[in-house]
Amino acid sequence: MRPRRGLRTALALASVVVLTACAHVPNPPPEDPYESFNRGMFQFNETVDRYTLKPIATGYNAVVPGPVRTCIHNIFGNVGDVWSGVNSFLQGRGRDFVDTFGRVLFNSTVGLGGCIDVASMNGARKVPNDFGMTLGVWGFNSGPYLVLPFLGASSVRDGTGTLVTLAAPGTITSAVFAINDVPVRNSLIGLYLVDARASLLEDEKLVDQIALDKYSFIRDAYLQRRKAMLDSRRAGEHASTAEALGAAGDDYLPVYEDPDLLPPEE
């Protein structure tokens, strides 16, 4: 019975994609020529998330104590810093490379395997980086916006970077899949997915409150943030979290206010 139920669920989700993707979007913006497909995939991801990941993540936040959740999130982040450091090296960003591996060493030892983010407490901020950003530094254009199944907002360039990240050594995925104990490996994969989803719950509430069109808001915010991060690297700025987020902060968020509802200027 269970295989049949799983098959029915998969077919139902696939139907959502097909039916939604059939709705043609006239005159899509230049950065999103595949908007018809992307909106269908966006709805598919929303449906999967609504009935699987979001309820689990909400329960996880409700049941697991905050310090334990923070420890788990920090450990995964510490492993992810290794790949960030590799990309800083590939981009020729020596300072970011040294800072990142200093963070990993510090948090892995004094921070008990990364459970405690001692580096950030002492002013060594996280340096966000990935292979999609590396391709951008190497001169590859972003390409059209693209919504990936299950993974969400991306672009042709960043999607390529994601595929490399899933297979490359030194990443969270390669570290987990190197574990031979299947139950332990699967448990870690599930925990990683739940932790990643739980970390987005508050951001999702904000988006739901302010976005008239959730799809457009996420697309514009994603593209503008990625552009700001790449511009900071091309300008030779140190890519600390504070600077990267500052560059992609309020000035880069899409604006959807209705001008007729705004108070008159004095």
Side-chain angles (χ1 to χ4, degrees), residues 14 44 60 98 101 141 149 164 174 190 195 216 229 231 249:
F44 168 75
Y60 171 80
V98 172
F101 276 94
N141 292 327
V164 173
S174 65
D195 168 72
S216 298
M229 290 177 65
D231 288 346

Side-chain angles (χ1 to χ4, degrees), residues 75-85 100 104 126 129 170-172:
I75 291 174
F76 284 129
N78 191 50
V79 177
D81 278 346
V82 175
W83 184 237
S84 293
T100 297
V104 174
K126 184 181 287 287
N129 225 334
T171 64
I172 292 178

Side-chain angles (χ1 to χ4, degrees), residues 146-169:
L146 191 63
V147 179
L148 301 178
F150 306 108
L151 299 177
S154 186
S155 66
V156 172
R157 182 192 67 207
D158 292 344
T160 303
T162 299
L163 292 177
V164 173
T165 300
L166 292 175

Side-chain angles (χ1 to χ4, degrees), residues 27-177:
N27 304 317
E31 68 274 12
D32 189 10
Y34 310 136
E35 185 174 355
S36 296
F37 166 81
N38 285 335
R39 283 188 178 271
M41 188 56 66
F42 177 79
Q43 290 301 324
F44 168 75
N45 289 342
E46 288 280 286
T47 302
V48 172
D49 179 70
R50 185 180 306 115
Y51 293 107
T52 55
L53 282 178
K54 186 175 180 178
I56 296 173
T58 302
Y60 171 80
N61 273 3
V63 173
V64 180
V68 177
R69 297 199 309 270
T70 299
C71 176
I72 293 171
H73 187 75
N74 287 345
I75 291 174
F76 284 129
N78 191 50
V79 177
D81 278 346
V82 175
W83 184 237
S84 293
V86 170
N87 280 284
S88 293
F89 177 80
L90 293 175
Q91 295 169 17
R93 301 179 62 81
R95 180 180 172 185
D96 288 345
F97 170 76
V98 172
D99 285 355
T100 297
F101 276 94
R103 277 182 52 86
V104 174
L105 180 62
F106 199 31
N107 284 338
S108 298
T109 53
V110 181
L112 305 177
C115 178
I116 305 171
D117 191 356
V118 183
S120 292
M121 295 177 183
N122 288 271
R125 297 184 178 277
K126 184 181 287 287
V127 180
N129 225 334
D130 56 72
F131 195 69
M133 196 57 54
T134 296
L135 292 174
V137 171
W138 288 352
F140 290 90
N141 292 327
S142 173
Y145 179 70
L146 191 63
V147 179
L148 301 178
F150 306 108
L151 299 177
S154 186
S155 66
V156 172
R157 182 192 67 207
D158 292 344
T160 303
T162 299
L163 292 177
V164 173
T165 300
L166 292 175
T171 64
I172 292 178
T173 51
S174 65
V176 172
F177 279 106

Side-chain angles (χ1 to χ4, degrees), residues 31 215-225 252 254 256:
E31 68 274 12
Y215 169 83
S216 298
F217 184 92
I218 293 175
R219 176 193 64 198
D220 295 348
Y222 176 84
L223 293 176
Q224 291 165 11
R225 183 179 185 276
Y252 284 85
Y256 291 103

